[in-house]
Amino acid sequence: MAAEKAPDTYGITAPYADELNDDITHWDRVGEFPHDKWKPLQRSGLFTLPFAPEYGGAGRTLTETMAALEGLGHTSRDAGLNFSASTQIVSVGIPLQAFGSEDLRGRYLPQVTSGEAITAHAITEPSHGSDVMNIRTTAVREGDEYVLNGGKMFITNAPVAGLFLLYVRTGKPGAFGLSTFLAERDTPGLTVGEPLETMGLRTSPISEVTLEDVRLPVGNRLGSEGAGFLIMDYVMKREVLFSFAVNLGEMAHRLKRVVEHATTRQQFGSAIGKNQAVAHKIADMRIAVETARKWLYDTGLKVEQGKDASLDVAATKIVVSEANQLTARHAIQIFGARGYLTGTGIERELRNATAGSIYSGTNEIQRNCIAALMGL
Ligand SMILES: Cc1cc2nc3c(=O)[nH]c(=O)nc-3n(C[C@H](O)[C@H](O)[C@H](O)COP(=O)(O)OP(=O)(O)OC[C@H]3O[C@@H](n4cnc5c(N)ncnc54)[C@H](O)[C@@H]3O)c2cc1C
């Protein structure tokens, strides 16, 4: 069903389950982006959801988009692909729609909503990860152009991306010294590094991006000069909601699998779930999933309504990433040696969950943010 007509967006990727889940263990082992699996996601309309119809979008709300991404997490066992898909929606499309000029939106948004151009956003640098305000990559204005120099690190989708949103310094260190630029992959001076080998999310490729005298027209800037931090804040709120909604779907699927196993696997003459030590782990998994759900959709609604949700977003990020890690650990324990085998796909979930406390602002930085909002 087309994304713009589906009464409930949750199920839009479900019809593509077989294609998405084909040969998962192989793709995880080789650690490559599965290009063929991008196609069913394009056909599902997932990438169109939160965008305006004039750019090929489905005009759905933020929480409807979250529901679709939760559905993707439940359907697709390829957490790397799922992460790349949420990055596709949020990294360029969301800021382009909110802050891009009419010219930029008209030229690039249709490529984003169709999924034809894979997108990435480049914020982190080798010397500045958590310390985002002090990033060093610069853009210096020369007439009608900016000249960009520097380097970015750990950029999701970069090895396969056609469009990049670059967060760079146009002013002094601090919140108002950052600006945001859109660059095509083949812009002279923009070099994408080789994919970096990773522990988890192995089908979501990440790499360095180097900028050497990259010349971009002034018109490629999103928003005004110095608006980079405001744009980043807008994007990060949605990145947390979208990528961790995916994790909610993945956790709900994991819980189902665990319950099924605990009620069928027999030891000492009864199902292992009859043991309190096992049942309590499953009860904790259920609490973790439901807590994640409440935070995600409560915060999603607040953001959708334009309410102040800075503390909520930080708390949601911590709650869901830690729930994902806890439920993945419990799943391995409950599956025993079978959980430790690569073939069952259970151990992969723990590897995939590990990065969630690092990306989108580490959990330590999120706790700092909550403490600061509390006046500490
Ligand atoms: C899978 C994955 C995908 C990513 N995708 C992207 C992407 O698409 N684009 C992009 O720009 N970046 C991306 N990143 C990078 C990510 O944003 C950074 O890894 C993150 O911001 C942390 O930076 P760092 O790794 O340099 O760690 P550091 O900043 O060096 O921190 C190391 C440790 O010290 C702690 N720490 C640092 N400062 C403080 C402090 N003040 N108080 C308390 N603790 C502190 C951190 O919490 C962390 O535990 C990705 C990372 C991963 C793992």
Side-chain angles (χ1 to χ4, degrees):
M1 184 179 286
E4 67 271 20
K5 295 200 194 106
D8 178 1
T9 53
Y10 180 85
I12 65 165
T13 53
Y16 306 93
D18 289 347
E19 281 175 86
L20 294 170
N21 292 324
D22 186 37
D23 231 356
I24 296 288
T25 309
H26 161 78
W27 287 107
D28 179 64
R29 189 171 293 135
V30 296
E32 283 171 23
F33 179 74
H35 279 280
D36 281 347
K37 296 188 181 190
W38 196 250
K39 293 172 189 157
L41 294 182
Q42 289 176 278
R43 290 200 298 278
S44 75
L46 182 76
F47 302 137
T48 69
L49 285 165
F51 300 107
E54 60 261 43
Y55 307 111
R60 307 303 291 245
T61 64
L62 186 139
T63 46
E64 286 170 335
T65 305
M66 287 170 64
L69 286 161
E70 182 193 340
L72 173 68
H74 193 266
T75 295
S76 161
R77 303 277 54 75
D78 188 339
L81 180 74
N82 301 348
F83 185 61
S84 281
S86 70
T87 301
Q88 169 73 10
I89 295 174
V90 87
S91 59
V92 172
I94 288 287
L96 196 52
Q97 174 157 274
F99 302 98
S101 65
E102 190 48 56
D103 174 51
L104 284 186
R105 289 204 299 254
R107 268 198 285 159
Y108 293 109
L109 260 183
Q111 298 177 36
V112 178
T113 58
S114 67
E116 180 197 327
I118 297 177
T119 66
H121 55 175
I123 305 159
T124 310
E125 299 181 353
S127 61
H128 288 83
S130 300
D131 189 8
V132 167
M133 300 262 204
N134 291 306
I135 56 175
R136 287 191 187 158
T137 297
T138 52
V140 177
R141 188 155 177 175
E142 285 185 11
D144 290 342
E145 289 182 332
Y146 281 90
V147 184
L148 282 69
N149 278 290
K152 298 289 178 181
M153 190 76 182
F154 308 124
I155 309 309
T156 296
N157 286 352
V160 293
L163 283 176
F164 292 84
L165 205 66
L166 308 167
Y167 290 81
V168 300
R169 173 156 309 294
T170 46
K172 292 191 181 124
F176 298 105
L178 300 179
S179 298
T180 308
F181 295 89
L182 188 66
E184 293 184 20
R185 185 192 189 89
D186 60 7
T187 309
L190 190 157
T191 311
V192 177
E194 287 299 309
L196 300 164
E197 181 99 25
T198 55
M199 168 186 182
L201 300 174
R202 288 173 55 76
T203 52
S204 178
I206 67 175
S207 69
E208 280 188 73
V209 174
T210 311
L211 308 168
E212 277 179 342
D213 289 332
V214 171
R215 290 188 168 269
L216 293 174
V218 171
N220 276 34
R221 195 185 65 216
L222 264 66
S224 53
E225 193 173 292
F229 187 74
L230 291 175
I231 295 175
M232 195 189 307
D233 183 60
Y234 183 91
V235 169
M236 277 301 143
K237 285 194 168 79
R238 284 143 186 93
E239 172 165 296
V240 165
L241 293 168
F242 290 166
S243 72
F244 290 96
V246 169
N247 290 161
L248 173 61
E250 291 164 352
M251 283 192 282
H253 186 275
R254 183 176 307 145
L255 180 58
K256 259 202 235 170
R257 252 191 109 173
V258 162
V259 169
E260 194 181 272
H261 183 73
T263 49
T264 52
R265 171 74 180 162
Q266 302 269 322
Q267 288 296 289
F268 304 100
S270 63
I272 57 169
K274 292 290 173 201
N275 298 295
Q276 198 178 57
V278 175
H280 280 189
K281 278 194 185 61
I282 298 174
D284 286 343
M285 287 178 75
R286 177 73 189 264
I287 293 167
V289 173
E290 298 306 336
T291 308
R293 181 183 305 286
K294 284 178 205 284
W295 271 103
L296 273 164
Y297 284 100
D298 186 77
T299 304
L301 203 57
K302 267 192 172 173
V303 172
E304 193 168 286
Q305 291 169 342
K307 293 185 181 158
D308 177 15
S310 296
L311 193 149
D312 307 73
V313 171
T316 301
K317 201 264 160 170
I318 294 168
V319 167
V320 187
S321 62
E322 293 179 358
N324 202 20
Q325 292 171 352
L326 175 115
T327 56
R329 275 200 310 278
H330 280 355
I332 295 185
Q333 193 66 21
I334 292 166
F335 270 80
R338 286 163 186 79
Y340 193 70
L341 293 184
T342 308
T344 48
I346 301 288
E347 61 81 36
R348 188 173 66 232
E349 301 205 5
L350 180 58
R351 289 190 283 106
N352 290 337
T354 302
S357 54
I358 299 171
Y359 57 68
S360 306
T362 68
N363 286 14
E364 289 80 6
I365 295 297
Q366 301 295 350
R367 285 188 164 90
N368 288 352
C369 173
I370 292 172
L373 287 166
M374 293 172 69
L376 297 167

